[in-house]
Amino acid sequence: MTDPGVTTRRISTEGADLLTLAGVNDVNLVELSRLFGVRVALRGEALAISGPEELVERAAPVGQRMVDVARQRLTLSADDVLRLSELEIEDTGAAEAPDAGGAPGVPATARIALPGVRRIVQAKTPGQAEYLAKIAEQDIVIGIGPAGTGKTYLAVAAAVDALTRKRVRRIVLARPAVEAGESLGFLPGDMQAKVDPYLRPLYDALDEMMPFERVQKALETRVIEIAPLAFMRGRTLADAFVILDEAQNATSMQMKMFLTRLGVNSKVVVTGDKTQVDLPKREESGLLQVERILTGIEGIAFHYFTEADVVRHRLVRQIIRAYASDTPD
């Protein structure tokens, strides 16, 4: 006998990858159920959502977004389901069409296809989509925000895409080699071995977006270069996509040196987190300085990420919020 207080909505899953939709051990369905207090199940070619009518009506749009993502064979995790639910609640009616990359307010164009590894890098929040749009439109983009918001990851994806489409001839990735707790002089090995740990996150991002053999060949032929920021002095970078990561640890002089390397047909992306400056207290962060003096210059765009753009584990967002609210006695 059917409970008169229970409503069931069925969303067609035709064309959707059911493993992507449900997740391992149905973790995505469990998350949708937990978030809205409804029962969720895959029945035939439909996603069935059951429960009190008010709760089902709130859960159904998120369920539809999940199906849309699964139809595009994009990635979907429990954290993504949580993000979709939060965006749905905040959505004021400006949502895009169902093929909008799996999130309300995120345009379908905010995706980068990487044919070499047969994957798609997608913006998962409206903030990330806006960031990618600025990278496409401006010569210099400065992305500022907390950890886990995709600042570097999306910039590297845009760089690989530009290289693949032959819009640039090379990629240059740089980071300040700033000591944070350990002295470079005490680390073993030659200079390259000493600075490699600082550059490892850039290698990791590349490895996700290009076949390993292609990365190695590009590094050997200097089509892709990964180097400490100090090695940029005296160069002119033309026909290049240049990324400066961890820019909060660049000094004012280093930042000026880096930005003036810009050559013809080049694009620069600078990323950093103002809350994680490791410079000695007497040194001003170049990231803080450019925020003051370069705002309003045509061709230079600033983009600010918030905790809402965090796409790592959900606890990362809560950790960032906790640190932001902590005030010294």
Side-chain angles (χ1 to χ4, degrees):
M1 181 176 179
T2 304
D3 188 336
V6 172
T7 297
T8 298
R9 283 279 299 274
R10 290 179 173 82
I11 300 169
S12 173
T13 59
E14 184 178 359
D17 183 271
L18 297 184
L19 180 57
T20 297
L21 177 61
V24 178
N25 296 326
D26 293 341
V27 64
N28 297 338
L29 305 185
V30 171
E31 181 68 3
L32 181 62
S33 175
R34 183 190 71 82
L35 289 169
F36 293 98
V38 294
R39 292 191 299 276
V40 182
L42 283 173
R43 295 174 181 169
E45 289 195 345
L47 178 68
I49 303 175
S50 304
E53 182 176 3
E54 180 183 353
L55 300 182
V56 169
E57 290 303 311
R58 290 173 54 200
V62 179
Q64 182 64 63
R65 294 287 178 178
M66 292 168 61
V67 171
D68 294 337
V69 171
R71 284 187 175 131
Q72 298 171 64
R73 304 299 195 271
L74 303 175
T75 59
L76 184 67
S77 67
D79 285 344
D80 292 327
V81 175
L82 173 61
R83 194 173 305 110
L84 289 174
S85 71
E86 292 175 343
L87 288 169
E88 188 67 37
I89 292 171
E90 296 170 2
D91 190 22
T92 58
E96 300 290 334
D99 66 345
V106 177
T109 53
R111 293 181 293 182
I112 297 172
L114 300 171
V117 289
R118 295 184 180 180
R119 66 176 299 179
I120 294 176
V121 174
Q122 65 182 75
K124 293 190 174 183
T125 69
Q128 288 190 341
E130 184 182 349
Y131 178 59
L132 285 176
K134 288 177 179 176
I135 290 175
E137 296 165 2
Q138 305 293 336
D139 291 330
I140 297 177
V141 176
I142 300 172
I144 300 173
T149 51
K151 302 183 298 294
T152 304
Y153 187 82
L154 292 174
V156 172
V160 171
D161 184 55
L163 183 66
T164 302
R165 296 174 183 271
K166 301 187 185 302
R167 292 173 179 167
V168 297
R169 291 168 47 194
R170 57 180 170 157
I171 296 172
V172 179
L173 309 175
R175 259 191 169 205
V178 173
E179 299 170 3
E182 283 193 67
S183 172
L184 279 173
F186 288 100
L187 293 175
D190 57 17
M191 179 53 68
Q192 188 63 43
K194 292 175 187 292
V195 300
D196 265 357
Y198 295 95
L199 307 176
R200 177 48 51 188
L202 299 177
Y203 286 102
D204 291 343
L206 277 177
D207 287 341
E208 286 195 37
M209 297 173 194
M210 297 173 65
F212 177 78
E213 297 78 9
R214 188 179 168 203
V215 172
Q216 294 305 306
K217 182 177 180 181
L219 290 170
E220 290 171 5
T221 58
R222 301 184 71 81
V223 170
I224 297 178
E225 180 180 354
I226 303 178
L229 175 58
F231 289 13
M232 297 294 106
R233 189 173 300 278
R235 303 177 59 185
T236 299
L237 301 173
D239 290 314
F241 197 117
V242 190
I243 300 173
L244 173 59
D245 190 33
E246 296 290 333
Q248 75 275 3
N249 289 328
T251 66
S252 297
M253 290 300 295
Q254 286 178 326
M255 183 66 77
K256 178 183 177 183
M257 175 272 292
F258 174 78
L259 291 176
T260 54
R261 300 307 94 199
L262 183 65
V264 177
N265 189 41
S266 286
K267 188 181 292 288
V268 167
V269 178
V270 175
T271 68
D273 180 354
K274 295 189 294 184
T275 68
Q276 297 193 40
V277 178
D278 295 319
L279 291 170
K281 291 185 178 180
R282 65 179 182 275
E283 291 275 12
E284 181 185 20
S285 168
L287 183 63
L288 300 180
Q289 184 186 48
V290 296
E291 188 181 19
R292 290 199 315 270
I293 66 177
L294 298 185
T295 302
I297 297 179
E298 186 176 355
I300 301 178
F302 284 81
H303 183 78
Y304 293 90
F305 293 90
T306 69
E307 64 182 43
D309 295 306
V310 172
V311 294
R312 289 181 186 165
H313 194 285
R314 70 189 66 188
L315 288 177
V316 174
R317 187 184 308 183
Q318 296 177 29
I319 290 168
I320 291 169
R321 187 180 297 139
Y323 272 96
S325 62
D326 181 54
T327 53
D329 293 333

